[in-house]
Amino acid sequence: MDPLIRFSHVKKRFGPKVIYDELSLDIARGETVTVLGASGSGKSVLLKLLIGLIRADAGEIWLAGSDASDDPVDVTKLSDAALVGVRRRVAYLFQGAALFDSLTVGENVAYGLREQYWNTMRPAEIDRRVEASLTAVGLPGIQGMRPSDLSGGMKKRVGLARTLALEPEVILYDEPTTGLDPINTARINHLIRAIKERLGLTSVVVTHDMSTAFSVSDRIVMVGRGRVLAAGPREHFRTTPDPYVRDFIDGRAPEIEDVEQLLSSS
């Protein structure tokens, strides 16, 4: 079966800093892939490349059609206007939830719907979507509250509700559990799994949290040095003998001689 998402020989740099010089990665429809990597390795860049928030310098990024009769599109070739269609299918959950303090929770969740469907969706349908989305993340009836009244974990869940309201095919999670305590981290992990199982969505999760990676993933991908360094099912990462991957998973800092070797080989 052809992948839903395909990064093919993608290159991206910012000035002298090379983020990707050979990024190739396939993501299947309905799969949850977690992307790991050191700070600055390009994890969030990968997400932003997919929806055109950042443009690739070279290579192709293919998004298959919603059904078999639709032709795939190369995101790198799309105009800004054409990218609107991609962003209706692929929703981005930002690291800090990105809620508007001046709006109520209900208005925040409805924001994307009003922006994208302002001339086609009735107010009653928007209200129904908002209520259903907040219920799905375990926060029914809080439409009138303000973001300032919410805990960090609640803000993350409201951000997820706003994403679900758009009924996307793909959700991109950028550090969904950063800054959360273990209980709220477990709650978010449960929601990611439940959303995938209930709705069959494709998910790409960027995280540093290994408990999240092992909890939500069908497959784990590690990026670094401009490319995919390792990829496989989560069980593979639990038992991998690769010393670089092992040190990352176990949170071990390399010895000084290892650092020198890494620098000389980069």
Side-chain angles (χ1 to χ4, degrees):
M1 181 180 296
D2 291 335
L4 177 62
I5 299 165
R6 169 166 285 168
F7 292 84
S8 180
H9 308 292
V10 171
K11 301 180 186 298
K12 183 63 190 177
R13 67 189 303 155
F14 297 106
K17 181 172 177 57
V18 176
I19 304 299
Y20 291 117
D21 60 13
E22 180 55 40
L23 174 64
S24 292
L25 173 66
D26 286 356
I27 298 172
R29 196 182 298 271
E31 184 180 31
T32 297
V33 171
T34 294
V35 181
L36 303 176
S39 297
S41 60
K43 301 184 300 298
S44 295
V45 170
L46 182 150
L47 303 185
K48 292 172 182 176
L49 286 168
L50 176 57
I51 56 173
L53 289 179
I54 295 174
R55 294 287 192 165
D57 297 330
E60 300 171 337
I61 303 172
W62 291 94
L63 177 65
S66 297
D67 58 55
S69 64
D70 296 329
D71 292 330
V73 294
D74 181 359
V75 174
T76 67
K77 303 295 192 299
L78 297 181
S79 66
D80 289 340
L83 282 169
V84 172
V86 171
R87 293 168 187 164
R88 285 179 176 171
R89 297 178 58 200
V90 183
Y92 194 120
L93 182 62
F94 290 92
Q95 182 174 336
L99 303 181
F100 297 102
D101 291 335
S102 60
L103 303 181
T104 66
V105 166
E107 290 167 339
N108 267 284
V109 176
Y111 184 82
L113 295 173
R114 297 190 195 281
E115 286 290 302
Q116 294 192 19
Y117 303 104
W118 63 272
N119 62 341
T120 59
M121 186 173 286
R122 293 173 176 269
E125 173 62 11
I126 291 176
D127 291 344
R128 186 197 67 78
R129 287 257 199 115
V130 169
E131 181 178 2
S133 299
L134 285 170
T135 299
V137 299
L139 296 174
I142 70 165
Q143 288 92 321
M145 295 179 69
R146 297 275 176 177
S148 58
D149 300 323
L150 307 179
S151 67
M154 292 175 73
K155 288 179 180 178
K156 296 267 191 178
R157 289 153 70 191
V158 169
L160 181 53
R162 181 174 59 190
T163 300
L164 291 176
L166 296 170
E167 296 186 346
E169 296 173 44
V170 181
I171 300 182
L172 309 179
Y173 297 89
D174 195 354
E175 299 284 2
T177 59
T178 293
L180 299 183
D181 59 63
I183 292 175
N184 275 304
T185 293
R187 182 177 285 125
I188 294 294
N189 292 344
H190 173 76
L191 282 172
I192 293 172
R193 292 195 306 271
I195 288 165
K196 181 259 180 75
E197 292 166 3
R198 188 185 318 144
L199 302 178
L201 299 181
T202 304
S203 304
V204 185
V205 182
V206 161
T207 187
H208 285 98
D209 187 335
M210 293 310 306
S211 67
T212 294
F214 287 131
S215 174
V216 307
S217 307
D218 297 313
R219 191 159 53 99
I220 297 175
V221 172
M222 177 170 279
V223 296
R225 304 180 200 169
R227 61 190 184 278
V228 171
L229 295 175
R234 57 188 175 184
E235 292 78 12
H236 168 77
F237 273 74
R238 288 185 189 276
T239 59
T240 179
D242 185 304
Y244 182 86
V245 177
R246 188 82 265 147
D247 284 348
F248 186 92
I249 291 173
D250 295 339
R252 292 198 301 261
E255 301 294 336
I256 294 298
E257 56 268 25
D258 295 333
V259 171
E260 294 173 349
Q261 182 179 359
L262 285 174
L263 290 175
S264 65
S265 62
S266 64

